[in-house]
Amino acid sequence: MVTALLLNMTDLYVEPKKFRSKEINEWIPSTLNCLKFNVDGSSRGNLGSAGIEGVRRDSNGMVLCLFSLGVGIMDSNATEILAIRRALEL
């Protein structure tokens, strides 16, 4: 009975779920005398709670300025544009 149970347990084995790994984008430093911001905007759903963020680094990778804030309810396209606008204002 125990042997039959052990043999049947191998039939219950399920392959572990394979997770997709996030693509890691390499940061490329800015050239001298050039401003470079990396920005992002996102929302929860097509029209949902949204936020923007951005960072400015010098050519050595040192953080000079950053921002992160909630912007209310909007879609993800609008948040991307708003993040760019905020970076230009700074």
Side-chain angles (χ1 to χ4, degrees):
M1 176 83 173
V2 173
T3 306
L5 180 62
L6 290 174
L7 288 174
N8 291 334
M9 287 181 73
T10 59
D11 295 334
L12 298 175
Y13 177 75
V14 178
E15 285 284 326
K17 185 175 180 180
K18 294 181 181 176
F19 293 98
R20 293 185 336 195
S21 61
K22 277 190 166 182
E23 183 180 320
I24 298 173
N25 295 323
E26 182 180 337
W27 178 77
I28 300 170
S30 62
T31 58
L32 295 176
N33 300 322
C34 181
L35 294 176
K36 179 179 180 181
F37 263 97
N38 294 99
V39 297
D40 189 29
S42 63
S43 67
R44 293 182 183 219
N46 188 20
L47 202 58
S49 180
I52 60 173
E53 59 186 13
V55 61
R56 179 173 184 261
R57 295 186 178 108
D58 64 12
S59 57
N60 296 317
M62 195 72 134
V63 174
L64 302 176
C65 176
L66 58 91
F67 64 90
S68 178
L69 59 140
V71 292
I73 306 294
M74 58 180 54
D75 67 33
S76 59
N77 291 327
T79 60
E80 294 284 348
I81 293 168
L82 193 60
I84 294 168
R85 179 180 174 183
R86 179 69 176 147
L88 292 172
E89 290 172 349
L90 291 172

